[in-house]
Amino acid sequence: MNEPPKHWNLLDYIQAFFPLQLLLAHLKYNLFAIFFWILLFLIVNDSFGYSFGVPLLFLSPEYLGEVSSWSFFLLGISLGGFTMGFNTYSYMKLGPNFPFLTTLAKPFLKFCINNALIPLGFTIFYTVQIIQFQLFQELNSVGAIALYILAFFGGIACFLTISFAYFFRVGPKGSKDPAHDHTAKPIASVIHKRERWYDRFGKKEDRTSLYFGKWLKLFTSRSSKHFDQELVEKVFAKNKINASIYELLTISMFFILGAFNSYAVFEVPAAVSIVLLLTIFLMIFSALHSWFRGWIYPIMIVILYGMNYMSERSEIFNYTNFAYGLNYESVEIDTYSVHRIKEIANDKTLINESKENYIETLDAWKEKTGQEKPKLILINTSGGGSRSALWTMIVLQNADEALNGKLTQHTQLITGASGGMIGAAYFRELLLRKNKGEIDNLYAKQYSHNISKDMLNRLSFMASTNDIFFRYQTYDYNGFSYTKDRGYAFEEQLHKNTNNVLKHNLGYYETYERSGTIPTMIFSPTIVNDGRRLLISSQRTNFMTASYHGSNMPSSNENIDFHSLLSHQKSNEIRFSSVLRSSATFPFVMPMVTLPTQPEIQLMDAGIRDNYGVKTMMEYLFALKDWIRENTSGVIVIQIRDTQKILDDETYKQVSFIDKITLPFGNMYKNFPRVQDFNQEELMGLGAQSLGFPIDLISFNLRERQGDRISLSWHLTKQEKQLINNAFKSKKNQHALSQLKRIL
C-alpha cells in the first residue's frame, strides 16, 4: 500500500480516514438521505410512531400470520435495498468530491465499503433492539432469536450480492486505469494556501485519504492532481448512467410486484413496505438529482403544481377512492351544496316517514324483549384500529355471556367510530347468524381471534407498490368497475380474516334491523369538505337530521342522511365493508372515500368529530324521547372505550422552553380525544336533565394506566393481544359488569 507521510500525527490520521470524511460530507451535502436513516433509527429506538405501534412492526414483523425467519429475511432484503439506494445516491452526489476514487479498480464497491459507517451502525443497533424485544417482550427462546437474526442478515446479504453483481457486470471493460494512463493531461495546479484543520473534510481539491480496500486492508489514496479532469468526469458519468439504470430497474421491480398483491405470499410485513416506500422515494429523488443537479427542487415544485393543476381540470392525477356498490356513472349526479343540504334537512315528508318507520323498529325491538317497559341499551364504541375492534368484540362476548344473552336482547343501537364499529359489526353479524341457526356458539374464542388478525401488511404493500403513481388494477362489483387501491386491500383482508361473513351490501341488514333481530348501527364519517357528518344506516335517519327536531333555533344542518343525499346512486347497494372503511379512514393510512356527488365529497374517520358515537346517540335520544319515555324504564349507555377518560397514573410535567413553542400545535392533537370527552360529558349531562327518563352510563376501559401500551394500528403483536384479552378481568371492568347486571 502507499504509506502515509511519516510526519503525520493522530489528528492527521483521523482527518484522512475516508469513512469519516464521507460521514462529514453526508452531514454537509446529503441531509436528504441522512433524514431517512435518522427516521429509521428513531423508529427502532421506539422514539417515533410509539402510539401507532410503528416500532413493533420492525421489532416483531409478521408474515403469513406469524413472526418467523421468513419475515425477518424479507425485512433484511428490504433493508439491503434501502442501503443500496443510499449508496447509489451518495456515490453520485459525493463521489466527485473524492476524485481519487477514479484511480481504483471497482470504485463503486470501494465507495460502498467505506460508506458503510451509517448502514452498519444502524444494522448493529437494530439487531440489538430485535434481540432485546424478542427476548424480554415476546419471550422467545435464544435459538429462535438466533434464527431470526441469521435470516435478517441473510436477507441483507442476498440483496447486496445481487446488486453488486449488477454493477460488476455493467462496469466499463477494457478501459484504462487513470492512474496509469500516460496520455492523461495534467490539470491546472492547485493554488497552495495555509490549510485549516477542517479543509480536508469539505474541499474538493486533491487530498490524501485512508480508505478500506481489498480484504478490508487500509490503503492510502493516490494523488489525482495529474489526471485529465475530462477523464475523471467521464468515469463518474459512466457510473451515473449505470446507477440510474439500476435505480429504475429496482423501482420497476417494486411496482411489478404490486401486480401480485392479491396473492398471500406477497403480503409482506408492514415494516418491509415502509422501508420499501422510503427506498422508492430515495431512488426516485436520486435518479432525478443525478440528471438535474441543483435544478431538482424548482423542477419538483413545478411538477407538483402541474399535477395539482391537471387534477383540478381532468381525471389525470385525480385519484378516486371508491365506495364499492355505488353508481359513479349515473347521468343524474346529486349535487352537494348548502341549498341541497337545507332541502334534505327540512323535508318534512322524509322526516315524518323515517321517524314512523323507526318507531316500528323500536316496537319490534320491544316485543323481542318480552317486557312491558324494558331497559333500552345503547352502545358507544370508540375508534382505535385493531385494538378497539378486538376490545369491542371481547366486551360484547363476555358481557353478553355473563348476562345470559340479556345484553344483545336489550341493545337497540350501536354508534361509534373506526375499529370499534368494525368489531361491533362483526359481533352483530355473528348474532344474526346465531339467531338464524347458522352458528351455535356466539362466544367462541375463534371470533375474537379472527378480528385481531393483521390487516396492515396487505394495506401497506398496496400503498407502497400501487398507490403512489399508478393504479392500474380494477375490481368489478355490482355491475360496476372500480380502481383497486389500499382501501380495496383493507376490505379484502377484513373479509378474509372474518371468513367472508360481512360480504353483504348495506341494504341486507334493513329487514333484520326493522324486525328487531339485530341492533341498528349508525355510522357517522366526517365530510372533509365542510366538517359535517354523514349518517349512514340501512334505514333512513332523516328524523335525526331535522333542524333541532322542530324547534325554532337556527341550524347549520350538521348531520346529513346518506340515502337522501345519494338518491340516484343506489345507496342501499353500497358494500357494507365500504361503509365500515368510510368510518375508519385514519389520515394517510387509508385514502379518503370519494362519493359520487357534484362536486365530489370526501369522507374521513368518524372519530374526527365523534370518536365515541355520543353525538349520534344524543340526536337519536332527542328525536325519539317521547317513545322512549312511554315505552322503556330508562336508558343504559354502555361505552366501550380503548382508553379510560383519565388514566390512573396520569401526571403533568413542567412546561419547558421547547414545549412553549410546540404546545400550541401539539396540544390540538394530544388533547383532541379529551376535548371530545369534555364536550360529550356536558352534552350527556344536559340531556339527562331534560329528556325525562333515567340514563345510566357504564364504561368498559381497555387502557387504565399510562403504561398500558397497546398500539393504535391495524396490526397487533402477540403480547398486545394477550393484554387486550386480559383487560376485561380488571377490577374496574368487573365492577362495571356488576353494575350492568344490577341495573338490568
Side-chain angles (χ1 to χ4, degrees):
M1 61 173 265
N2 296 330
E3 296 291 340
K6 293 182 179 180
H7 63 272
W8 274 17
N9 56 33
L10 179 61
L11 181 59
D12 292 320
Y13 279 99
I14 294 174
Q15 292 173 340
F17 190 51
F18 187 40
L20 182 58
Q21 290 176 343
L22 279 175
L23 178 61
L24 294 175
H26 280 303
L27 295 175
K28 184 173 183 179
Y29 302 112
N30 200 19
L31 284 177
F32 179 79
I34 293 298
F35 168 78
F36 289 116
W37 283 112
I38 292 173
L39 182 63
L40 290 175
F41 266 107
L42 291 174
I43 288 174
V44 300
N45 190 45
D46 215 8
S47 302
F48 179 83
Y50 174 93
S51 300
F52 305 111
V54 178
L56 303 184
L57 301 176
F58 283 77
L59 300 174
S60 192
E62 187 175 301
Y63 178 59
L64 298 179
E66 62 180 1
V67 179
S68 64
S69 297
W70 279 110
S71 60
F72 280 97
F73 178 76
L74 292 171
L75 195 52
I77 285 181
S78 68
L79 186 59
F82 180 75
T83 300
M84 284 306 300
F86 171 69
N87 282 331
T88 53
Y89 174 58
S90 302
Y91 184 66
M92 289 187 287
K93 187 170 182 64
L94 303 180
N97 289 9
F98 304 95
F100 80 88
L101 290 168
T102 59
T103 71
L104 309 178
K106 300 184 177 63
F108 180 67
L109 175 62
K110 302 293 195 310
F111 179 88
C112 291
I113 292 172
N114 288 273
N115 195 44
L117 210 56
I118 296 174
L120 187 60
F122 173 77
T123 304
I124 294 172
F125 180 74
Y126 186 14
T127 302
V128 171
Q129 295 295 97
I130 291 172
I131 293 172
Q132 289 181 340
F133 185 84
Q134 292 295 325
L135 197 60
F136 299 113
Q137 300 295 325
E138 294 294 312
L139 304 178
N140 271 316
S141 66
V142 174
I145 297 172
L147 287 176
Y148 293 165
I149 300 303
L150 286 174
F152 177 60
F153 287 152
I156 296 174
C158 181
F159 196 95
L160 294 181
T161 301
I162 294 172
S163 299
F164 283 127
Y166 162 82
F167 282 105
F168 296 157
R169 183 180 62 80
V170 301
K173 298 177 181 178
S175 58
K176 296 181 179 180
D177 181 350
H180 299 91
D181 183 8
H182 299 294
T183 64
K185 300 175 183 178
I187 60 174
S189 59
V190 179
I191 300 175
H192 294 285
K193 60 182 178 180
R194 185 174 180 180
E195 185 179 58
R196 292 162 296 187
W197 70 272
Y198 55 81
D199 284 347
R200 293 183 182 179
F201 299 135
K203 289 183 170 294
K204 296 184 180 180
E205 294 101 282
D206 185 51
R207 57 184 174 238
T208 302
S209 296
L210 296 175
Y211 67 92
F212 288 109
K214 190 174 183 180
W215 307 115
L216 294 182
K217 292 182 179 179
L218 203 60
F219 292 85
T220 305
S221 64
R222 304 171 188 172
S223 173
S224 59
K225 286 184 178 181
H226 64 287
F227 293 167
D228 186 342
Q229 186 65 28
E230 184 179 347
L231 179 61
V232 172
E233 291 175 355
K234 281 184 179 180
V235 172
F236 282 111
K238 176 64 177 177
N239 289 325
K240 180 174 74 172
I241 293 172
N242 292 336
S244 297
I245 294 173
Y246 166 80
E247 289 170 336
L248 292 174
L249 287 173
T250 305
I251 293 169
S252 300
M253 180 187 70
F254 290 152
F255 286 131
I256 290 170
L257 286 176
F260 301 96
N261 60 72
S262 58
Y263 296 93
V265 70
F266 289 102
E267 294 174 20
V268 297
V272 172
S273 296
I274 293 172
V275 177
L276 180 62
L277 199 59
L278 296 180
T279 305
I280 291 172
F281 284 144
L282 183 60
M283 285 189 166
I284 290 175
F285 186 85
S286 172
L288 293 173
H289 185 274
S290 67
W291 295 104
F292 298 111
R293 295 292 180 183
W295 287 99
I296 179 64
Y297 296 106
I299 287 174
M300 288 180 66
I301 292 172
V302 170
I303 291 174
L304 183 63
Y305 275 96
M307 291 171 63
N308 182 65
Y309 179 84
M310 295 176 69
S311 69
E312 292 177 344
R313 289 159 177 79
S314 69
E315 294 297 318
I316 303 175
F317 303 118
N318 191 4
Y319 299 125
T320 298
N321 176 259
F322 297 97
Y324 305 119
L326 291 182
N327 182 4
Y328 288 76
E329 302 171 3
S330 174
V331 176
E332 294 184 86
I333 298 293
D334 292 297
T335 59
Y336 187 78
S337 63
V338 174
H339 173 74
R340 174 67 175 151
I341 293 168
K342 288 184 178 294
E343 186 179 59
I344 294 172
N346 297 314
D347 190 323
K348 296 190 181 300
T349 301
L350 288 176
I351 293 170
N352 293 332
E353 284 182 358
S354 64
K355 188 170 184 176
E356 289 171 7
N357 289 337
Y358 204 86
I359 287 176
E360 290 178 7
T361 299
L362 290 171
D363 289 334
W365 164 81
K366 178 183 173 183
E367 186 178 347
K368 288 280 185 181
T369 66
Q371 298 179 14
E372 183 179 349
K373 283 201 168 187
K375 283 288 186 181
L376 174 65
I377 294 182
L378 311 179
I379 292 177
N380 302 154
T381 178
S382 72
S386 287
R387 75 183 184 196
S388 288
L390 176 57
W391 176 235
T392 300
M393 173 63 73
I394 286 173
V395 170
L396 293 177
Q397 281 187 313
N398 284 277
D400 194 52
E401 185 176 22
L403 293 166
N404 298 315
K406 284 187 178 181
L407 175 63
T408 51
Q409 184 182 18
H410 284 260
T411 300
Q412 203 289 311
L413 177 71
I414 302 174
T415 62
S418 191
M421 289 295 274
I422 291 176
Y426 183 41
F427 179 81
R428 186 182 74 153
E429 175 63 36
L430 296 171
L431 173 65
L432 174 58
R433 289 175 180 255
K434 183 179 184 298
N435 291 336
K436 293 167 69 175
E438 296 178 9
I439 64 172
D440 296 323
N441 185 9
L442 178 62
Y443 316 120
K445 297 292 184 183
Q446 179 61 38
Y447 301 131
S448 59
H449 173 71
N450 288 345
I451 203 64
S452 70
K453 290 179 181 177
D454 174 81
M455 289 198 289
L456 187 61
N457 286 353
R458 189 172 183 178
L459 185 156
S460 302
F461 185 67
M462 178 72 88
S464 59
T465 59
N466 181 83
D467 281 16
I468 302 177
F469 300 110
F470 308 107
R471 301 179 183 182
Y472 49 87
Q473 295 175 295
T474 57
Y475 167 65
D476 295 327
Y477 178 79
N478 198 32
F480 301 107
S481 182
Y482 306 96
T483 304
K484 287 184 181 180
D485 56 17
R486 62 190 185 278
Y488 166 83
F490 177 85
E491 289 189 33
E492 288 303 296
Q493 192 63 49
L494 174 62
H495 289 310
K496 180 181 177 182
N497 291 353
T498 56
N499 298 317
N500 297 313
V501 299
L502 292 169
K503 268 196 171 181
H504 307 296
N505 60 29
L506 178 64
Y508 169 81
Y509 292 104
E510 182 178 9
T511 302
Y512 300 110
E513 289 182 5
R514 295 283 297 274
S515 65
T517 307
I518 56 174
T520 298
M521 292 189 76
I522 301 179
F523 300 85
S524 55
T526 305
I527 300 174
V528 178
N529 306 54
D530 58 12
R532 287 183 168 87
R533 301 189 311 140
L534 188 65
L535 302 186
I536 305 178
S537 177
S538 66
Q539 304 179 66
R540 288 183 178 271
T541 58
N542 299 79
F543 66 94
M544 294 170 58
T545 66
S547 300
Y548 291 105
H549 316 294
S551 74
N552 294 322
M553 291 289 292
S555 172
S556 299
N557 307 115
E558 174 188 0
N559 303 306
I560 304 172
D561 177 65
F562 173 70
H563 299 290
S564 301
L565 179 65
L566 300 178
S567 56
H568 298 100
Q569 271 64 50
K570 299 187 175 182
S571 57
N572 243 347
E573 294 184 24
I574 183 175
R575 194 160 80 156
F576 187 60
S577 56
S578 290
V579 176
L580 293 173
R581 175 166 56 88
S582 71
S583 176
T585 51
F586 193 84
F588 304 111
V589 176
M590 281 198 291
M592 295 183 294
V593 176
T594 303
L595 292 186
T597 57
Q598 181 58 43
E600 294 178 338
I601 60 174
Q602 314 289 328
L603 301 182
M604 279 187 68
D605 200 298
I608 294 173
R609 294 291 319 280
D610 189 10
N611 196 45
Y612 304 101
V614 173
K615 286 176 63 65
T616 304
M617 179 192 70
M618 294 308 295
E619 293 281 2
Y620 168 98
L621 290 176
F622 277 111
L624 301 168
K625 60 180 181 295
D626 294 334
W627 187 95
I628 295 172
R629 192 183 302 118
E630 294 173 9
N631 292 275
T632 74
S633 58
V635 172
I636 302 174
V637 177
I638 297 177
Q639 287 196 344
I640 305 175
R641 304 174 59 94
D642 68 337
T643 304
Q644 191 171 277
K645 285 185 180 180
I646 300 177
L647 296 172
D648 291 344
D649 55 351
E650 187 163 337
T651 57
Y652 305 99
K653 67 174 185 177
Q654 182 69 27
V655 176
S656 68
F657 170 73
I658 297 296
D659 288 334
K660 291 179 180 179
I661 300 173
T662 60
L663 273 178
F665 307 99
N667 177 65
M668 291 185 292
Y669 166 74
K670 185 178 179 181
N671 289 328
F672 182 71
R674 179 158 294 176
V675 169
Q676 286 197 17
D677 272 335
F678 291 153
N679 292 338
Q680 291 172 2
E681 243 181 47
E682 183 179 25
L683 180 62
M684 289 184 68
L686 293 172
Q689 294 176 19
S690 60
L691 286 169
F693 47 78
I695 299 178
D696 293 288
L697 175 63
I698 296 175
S699 293
F700 292 93
N701 301 295
L702 173 56
R703 295 178 62 244
E704 298 176 348
R705 296 172 297 277
Q706 287 183 329
D708 297 336
R709 176 182 178 178
I710 304 172
S711 309
L712 173 57
S713 171
W714 293 113
H715 175 89
L716 296 171
T717 66
K718 183 167 59 177
Q719 185 190 40
E720 288 175 325
K721 293 176 187 178
Q722 190 62 43
L723 287 172
I724 297 171
N725 277 288
N726 292 335
F728 190 77
K729 301 173 186 175
S730 77
K731 185 177 179 180
K732 288 186 177 180
N733 286 327
Q734 287 301 302
H735 177 67
L737 181 62
S738 298
Q739 279 185 295
L740 183 56
K741 286 180 179 179
R742 177 179 53 79
I743 296 171
L744 280 176

